[in-house]
């Protein structure tokens, strides 16, 4: 959304320029009508001059009235710099997302930024494992249909939950470095519990990805020979048979005629 204050002053400037243009035009047409009408007597061209001058004067008056009305309206308050930056960033992201490769680029940037935010904490390794597993699962999403769709929804929920848990682990670990001695023991115990939960959750997610890969492999593996391979075998046998027949005809000395 655009800055309302800037939009207000932009409309004010545009309306002022319009009022000035119509004032100049009305003055020119009015002067021409005042000079040319008595110059050669009143006729049909004089009615056109007078009508054009009157219309221009009316439009100029309306523009000045609109300008005064808009100028009397208080300007919206100035936008906070942080909010203005957030709006600019939102507009930039929307413009990038409209590009063909925009969503993928933004997703990669967010992933790298999240990984850098966890660098130096015990959650970084688990986050990297989760990221690799999530990318692997995303490559199989189009093939996980039918009975696998509920598992895919569960995987999406688990991915969000584990990423939130990784952020909690990193926050607690940073706070642990600043905690006083009397609070360090309880906070360290809570941190250890969160780390264990995160490792267990990431391991479960990786097992789910492996199971999804097994589902995709079994779903694509036919019980008999692949139809494409069977057709290629039939075409090869047909070509061998035609070649053998041509060889027999050439050996017998029979002339070949092109049909």
């Amino acid at each position: 959304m655009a800055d309302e204050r800037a939009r207000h002053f932009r409309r004010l400037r545009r309306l002022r320029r319009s009022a000035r243009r119509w004032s100049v035009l009305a003055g020119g047409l009015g002067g021409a009508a005042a000079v040319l009408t008595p110059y050669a007597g009143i006729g049909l061209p004089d009615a056109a001059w007078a009508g054009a001058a009157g219309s221009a004067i009316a439009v100029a008056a309306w523009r000045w009235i609109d300008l005064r009305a808009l100028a009397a309206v208080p300007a919206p308050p100035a936008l906070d710099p942080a909010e203005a930056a957030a709006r600019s960033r939102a507009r930039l992201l929307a413009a990038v997302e409209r590009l063909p490769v925009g969503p993928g680029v933004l997703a990669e940037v967010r992933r790298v930024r999240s990984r850098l935010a966890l660098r130096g904490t015990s959650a970084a390794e688990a986050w990297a494992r989760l990221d690799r597993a999530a990318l692997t699962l995303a490559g199989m999403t189009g093939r996980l249909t039918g009975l696998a769709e509920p598992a895919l929804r569960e995987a999406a929920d688990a991915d969000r939950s584990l990423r939130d848990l990784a952020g909690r682990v990193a926050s607690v670990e940073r706070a642990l470095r600043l905690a006083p001695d009397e609070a360090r023991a309880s906070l360290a115990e809570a941190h250890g519990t969160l780390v264990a939960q995160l490792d267990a959750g990431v391991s479960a997610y990786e097992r789910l990805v492996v199971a999804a890969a097994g589902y995709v492999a079994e779903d694509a593996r036919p019980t008999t020979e692949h139809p494409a391979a069977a057709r290629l075998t039939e075409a090869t046998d047909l070509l061998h048979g035609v070649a053998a027949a041509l060889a027999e005809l050439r050996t017998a000395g029979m002339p070949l005629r092109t049909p």
Side-chain angles (χ1 to χ4, degrees):
M1 185 175 61
D3 186 3
E4 294 295 334
R5 184 179 178 85
R7 181 183 298 176
H8 173 80
F9 287 112
R10 190 162 53 245
R11 289 179 56 196
L12 198 62
R13 289 192 298 269
R14 187 163 54 243
L15 195 55
R16 183 180 293 110
R17 287 195 298 266
S18 177
R20 289 173 177 173
R21 282 196 302 268
W22 279 105
S23 298
V24 172
L25 183 60
L29 291 175
V35 172
L36 295 177
T37 298
Y39 180 74
I42 300 175
L44 185 61
D46 301 315
W49 281 109
S55 300
I57 292 172
V59 174
W62 289 336
R63 288 290 185 269
W64 284 110
I65 291 173
D66 294 339
L67 177 61
R68 289 192 181 94
L70 184 61
V73 176
L79 197 63
D80 183 68
E83 186 176 357
R87 292 185 179 184
S88 300
R89 184 167 55 252
R91 286 196 296 269
L92 178 61
L93 292 178
V96 173
E97 285 180 347
R98 285 193 293 268
L99 299 176
V101 297
V105 172
L106 290 179
E108 183 64 26
V109 170
R110 293 189 183 104
R111 187 160 40 251
V112 172
R113 184 178 60 185
S114 301
R115 187 181 302 174
L116 291 177
L118 298 176
R119 186 174 56 182
T121 64
S122 56
E125 183 180 356
W127 180 279
R129 289 169 51 199
L130 179 62
D131 221 18
R132 288 193 297 268
L135 289 175
T136 304
L137 185 62
M140 298 183 290
T141 301
R143 298 179 178 87
L144 294 173
T145 57
L147 298 176
E149 290 182 355
L152 200 59
R153 290 192 294 268
E154 291 293 335
D157 294 338
D159 181 84
R160 288 190 294 269
S161 177
L162 289 173
R163 292 183 189 276
D164 179 71
L165 181 59
R168 292 173 183 270
V169 169
S171 300
V172 172
E173 185 170 342
R174 294 190 182 100
L176 184 61
R177 299 169 185 170
L178 305 175
D181 295 338
E182 59 271 12
R184 186 180 298 273
S186 60
L187 198 58
E189 183 180 357
H191 176 262
T193 303
L194 291 176
V195 170
Q197 291 178 356
L198 180 61
D199 290 337
V202 172
S203 299
Y205 191 91
E206 290 173 339
R207 290 194 296 270
L208 175 65
V209 174
V210 173
Y215 173 85
V216 171
E218 292 296 331
D219 186 55
R221 186 171 63 180
T223 55
T224 59
E225 188 179 9
H226 198 276
R231 288 194 298 269
L232 289 175
T233 302
E234 293 175 0
T236 303
D237 294 340
L238 176 63
L239 290 176
H240 281 310
V242 173
L246 291 175
E248 290 178 2
L249 289 174
R250 187 177 293 109
T251 302
M254 294 179 63
L256 296 177
R257 291 182 299 174
T258 303

